[in-house]
Structures are given as structure tokens and as C-alpha cells.
Amino acid sequence: MVAKTFGSAVSGVNANLITVEVNVGQGTSFFMVGLPDSAVKESQQRVESALKYYNYRMPRQKVVVNLAPADIRKEGSAYDLPIAMGILQASEQVFFPELEQYVIMGELALDGKLRPIKGVLPIAIEARTKGFKGFILPQENAKEASIVNNLDIIGVTTIQEAVLFLLGELAIEPLVTDTRDIFYHSQEDPAFDFADVQGQENIKRAMEIAAAGGHNVIMIGPPGAGKTMLAKRLPSILPALTLQEALESTKIHSVAGKLGGDSSLLARRPFRSPHHTISDVALVGGGGNPQPGEISLAHNGVLFLDELPEFKRTVLEVMRQPLEERKVTISRAKVSVDYPANFMLIASMNPCPCGYYNHPEKECVCGPGIVQRYLNKVSGPLLDRIDLHVEVTPVKFDEMTSTRKTESSKAIRERVEQGRKRQAERFKNNPEVFCNAMMPSHMVKQVCEINDAGKTLLKTAMERLGLSARAYDRILKVARTIADISGSEDIKVEHLAEAIQYRSLDREGWAG
């Protein structure tokens, strides 16, 4: 007899439906076909032990398990439960009248208990798309899958519960989650708030501009000046995630196995801060079984690279293309997957190895040429993709001990959201562009028109400060964002003047 159950294979951040066919016939062997990896092949031992634990038997006949389509590679241990259900049905130990109406996934322990699996959200979305009645899965993953509506989410803790449910002998209420309610209630006050930061008003202003226009930022300053503290507070002034963005980010974290058992929908923008010893594969994604990297986990959020020159050169260079294209493509001989990577890059660095070059009080002890060599660790093409260069100076004692209340993240975020609304209106006919930072060069000329006084100022600045040609477009984009925040239709001279300040590293001889 042939029994048919359904599972799913995750590719990138999407899932493909897998049909698990089990045939029990004459003979004494066990075959598993359909491109299974080692973890899938080993399911035979787990399934046999789990069945015996609940007094079922593994057929002592020829058992063939086919995972179709046979040309898609099947990976991981999540096929244990559908294979076990198929074996029980094919060997006529039980009869499940609604077996083919459910997608079934789960890893079995030897005593029949179910362990959590990865990639539950994309699988649930695929199950609903294909018109299945429900999704049977480990109890620990049920909350995550319940984000998807119009699909019965049946969380079970053992194989016996799954059997009794499919037989109709055990009633399990489908888990229902009010996604919108959870989403909006989770957007409470952030853990880090700009109200806690004394001084550094110019850096806060730069962060506000970056958040409003989606610009990348690099902060240069001595140790202890507050670079990391300021970067951690950036997500608190970014516009709230939309439901669609939250779903995209949750899918990526689900595939990577980064969601906890109690997590459902990510309601806050991700903030990822990898250590400088990270490999290029861990940063952009990949590996033998491709997995999303840090830049994809930061999708719709912030990627913070602390001590930028300490990262390996190869690691920084692989980011150049994702920064432009807002996605990363992982290509292997037999498979190619796309992961979204639309993130804001925030980097920080010391101005020199000792950290005190340009310090107002402490003296730099680095020798001639050392400072330039240190700055050259960050390549020109990478700096070219960073719009705002901000010099961070230490906070003075009087400012540090001040009891004066500073502006809260909530107040700053309101201005940021007003700026984003103007950009949304401006780019409503360009679905690929969401904010000023994403404008291609041809659009900059149309959107960022400046008057004669502005042209004169920009020309003078480029000549006197020794600004490079690549700074031109960046200055115009930042000036457009500053104008949006202030509610101005046109880019005025003062907007340009402020934007020019944020190109420190383009000045010739900055480190000379």
C-alpha cells in the first residue's frame, strides 16, 4: 500500500511543498530516495525507536520512502514525523482519513517526543498558499506558525498526540494569534533612548538625518566618546516596522533558527552587532547548506560594525554589492538562493591605532604615516557607500554631569516619520526606492535640484575642503533629507552647508 503525506523544504526565505510517499511491499529492506542528506537518512532509526515506544511496529518488509520532487535536496531532521505517519498508514496499522489535508513537520526523539525545527513561518505560508487545512508541528514552534491566518496550527508534543489527533480521538484546538494586536502592543518604549545621552547634540542630529533618509553612517572618534552608545539608540528613532516588513524579517530569523520558542512576530527593527573576528560567510550568508548571514538578519534594521578597521578586508569587501542591491545572492554548483539585505550600516572607528589623533586634550603617539595606513584599512569603494562621516568628540565634564533633560527618542522619531512620509509620496511611482539614500544617480539630478547660490557654495566647498568627486551625489542626497525633515520643498543653502559637514573622510589631508 502507498501512503502520502506532505512536508516542506526551505530554500532561501521561501518554502517548497514536499510530498512524502511511503510504499510497504515484499522484501526486508529500507530505502529512502529523493536527494535526502545524512540527517534525513538517519530518520529511519529515530522513527523506528519512536514507533516502538508507543507500541507500534516498524514493518519488517520492503519500505520505500520517496521525497518528491526528487531533484530538490532535502536537509535536516524535520521529516521524521511525516515519514512516521506515512509508515503507519502504509503498513495499515492505522487509517488517517484526513492525512493528506495537513502539512506535517517535526523532529522525533527516541521516546517519541517532538523537538523544535527551523523555518516554520515560510512553511506555514506555503501550506496556506497550497490550500491545506492545517499544519501539524512541534508545540514549541506553534506560536511562530500561528502568525499565518486561515490555517489550523496544531501543536503536538509527541508522535502519539499527532496519531490520535489524525484519528479523531484527540481534540486539539488550533492555536490562533491576533497578529495585529501582538504587533502593535510590542512596539512599546525602546530599551535604549536618546534621552539618556548628555551632550553629543551634533551626533544626535546626524543620527536623525540618517534615520530619516536611510543613510549609512560612520563615526570617527577616540575611545569612550560614546560611539557604541549612540549606535545602539539608532533603532529607537527609526520609523516603526510595517506589518509586511515585520513578516519579512521574521521569515529570515525563522529560517536561521534565531526565533525563541515564545516568539511570534518581530515587532522591532533588528539590531545586529557582529564581532570583528566574523568570517565573510557568516556576514553575508552561505555555507554548505546556505544560511542567511548577519546582513540578512539585519534586514529592515541596523547593522552595526564596531571598530571597522579591525574587520578583515575580505569581510568588508563582500558587503559592497549587497549595500547597493539590497539583497545577497548565494550561488553554489547546484543551488542559488536570494536573501534580502535592506539594512542601514552604522560603523564606528578610532581615528588611529592609539585612538587619540585629533583629540582636544590627549596627544596621539602614532608615528608618521601610521594614521593614514590605519584609515586605509577601510577601502574607498566601501566609504563611497557611506553618506555621513561624523567626528565624535569626548563629552565635557559639565555636559556629562548636567541634569538638563535632553530630547527623547520619541520626539526625534516623530520628525523622522514626517521626513519618511514626504519621501514615500515622492517615490510612490518607484517601487524599488523607499528613501533618499536609495536614489540612483539619474534620479538625484531630478529630485535634488539646487539654486545658483547652492551651486556656488558646493563648488567652493569642494575646492577649499578638497572634497572628492564621489562626495557630490552623497551631499545632495543628505541635503534633500535635511530639507525633508525641516519641511522644505526646496534644498536651501543652509541644508547644503549642513550636508557638507558630514564628509570628514573625503577631505584631503584629513589624516595628514
Side-chain angles (χ1 to χ4, degrees), residues 185-294:
H185 276 85
S186 299
Q187 294 180 341
E188 59 217 19
D189 292 335
F192 299 104
D193 196 297
F194 273 105
D196 306 328
V197 181
Q198 295 291 345
Q200 303 291 25
E201 298 304 324
N202 60 324
I203 318 299
K204 290 181 191 174
R205 172 67 175 169
M207 288 292 188
E208 180 183 335
I209 295 165
H215 302 290
N216 300 323
V217 183
I218 185 166
M219 294 181 282
I220 314 108
K227 301 186 293 293
T228 304
M229 179 182 69
L230 288 157
K232 282 183 177 177
R233 282 158 175 75
L234 180 64
S236 69
I237 61 170
L238 287 170
L241 280 171
T242 64
L243 209 50
Q244 181 60 36
E245 286 176 332
L247 201 59
E248 285 175 6
S249 297
T250 307
K251 276 171 73 175
I252 297 167
H253 283 73
S254 172
V255 169
K258 302 288 184 185
L259 288 175
D262 292 330
S263 300
S264 53
L265 195 66
L266 287 178
R268 292 184 182 178
R269 293 192 179 271
F271 179 85
R272 305 295 298 183
S273 179
H275 193 258
H276 62 256
T277 54
I278 192 171
S279 68
D280 46 359
V281 171
L283 187 70
V284 298
N289 303 328
Q291 287 284 303
E294 288 290 335

Side-chain angles (χ1 to χ4, degrees), residues 42 47 68 128 144 148 170 181 222 307 310-311 353 428 461:
E42 289 167 356
V47 168
R128 183 183 65 181
E144 179 188 334
V148 180
L170 176 66
D181 184 59
E307 304 300 343
E310 303 302 329
F311 284 79
K428 62 184 177 184

Side-chain angles (χ1 to χ4, degrees), residues 423-442:
Q423 291 166 56
E425 180 63 27
R426 181 181 303 132
F427 303 126
K428 62 184 177 184
N429 297 323
N430 295 280
E432 299 298 314
V433 181
F434 304 107
C435 54
N436 290 335
M438 298 172 73
M439 280 191 287
S441 295
H442 67 86

Side-chain angles (χ1 to χ4, degrees), residues 146 176-183:
S146 66
V176 178
T177 300
D178 187 341
T179 310
R180 292 181 184 275
D181 184 59
I182 287 180
F183 179 65

Side-chain angles (χ1 to χ4, degrees), residues 457-469 471-472 475:
L457 173 67
L458 198 48
K459 182 183 176 185
T460 307
M462 293 189 76
E463 288 172 356
R464 287 191 185 173
L465 298 176
L467 295 176
S468 65
Y472 180 76
I475 289 171

Side-chain angles (χ1 to χ4, degrees), residues 279-460:
S279 68
D280 46 359
V281 171
L283 187 70
V284 298
N289 303 328
Q291 287 284 303
E294 288 290 335
I295 63 172
S296 295
L297 292 170
H299 180 61
N300 291 323
V302 175
L303 179 71
F304 176 48
L305 302 184
D306 202 2
E307 304 300 343
L308 190 68
E310 303 302 329
F311 284 79
K312 293 196 287 284
R313 182 87 175 210
T314 54
V315 172
L316 296 179
E317 296 310 299
V318 293
M319 276 204 311
R320 281 157 51 176
Q321 193 174 358
L323 276 169
E324 289 289 327
E325 296 187 359
R326 310 280 170 171
K327 66 175 183 176
V328 59
T329 303
I330 309 296
S331 297
R332 296 290 178 267
K334 293 182 181 178
V335 66
S336 177
V337 296
D338 285 342
Y339 292 116
N342 184 13
F343 61 93
M344 273 181 69
L345 173 65
I346 307 298
S348 75
M349 60 183 283
N350 293 331
C352 64
C354 81
Y356 295 109
Y357 179 77
N358 270 355
H359 195 283
E361 294 164 10
K362 298 187 181 180
E363 193 174 338
C364 174
V365 296
C366 299
I370 298 288
V371 177
Q372 190 62 55
R373 202 174 308 134
Y374 184 76
L375 293 173
N376 285 345
K377 286 186 178 182
V378 183
S379 70
L382 182 63
L383 280 178
D384 189 25
R385 290 159 172 80
I386 298 177
D387 299 349
L388 297 160
H389 306 162
V390 189
E391 291 180 62
V392 184
T393 52
V395 181
K396 293 175 182 172
F397 182 79
D398 292 344
E399 288 181 329
M400 207 182 300
T401 54
S402 171
T403 55
R404 180 175 61 91
K405 277 198 171 184
T406 57
E407 199 170 25
S408 69
S409 290
K410 187 177 179 182
I412 300 171
R413 187 168 64 238
E414 285 173 4
R415 291 197 297 272
V416 168
E417 286 175 344
Q418 288 301 316
R420 286 282 181 121
K421 279 180 186 174
R422 290 186 181 91
Q423 291 166 56
E425 180 63 27
R426 181 181 303 132
F427 303 126
K428 62 184 177 184
N429 297 323
N430 295 280
E432 299 298 314
V433 181
F434 304 107
C435 54
N436 290 335
M438 298 172 73
M439 280 191 287
S441 295
H442 67 86
M443 198 180 287
V444 172
K445 290 175 183 174
Q446 301 166 12
V447 174
C448 304
E449 288 184 14
I450 51 176
N451 57 25
D452 291 339
K455 286 176 184 173
T456 305
L457 173 67
L458 198 48
K459 182 183 176 185
T460 307

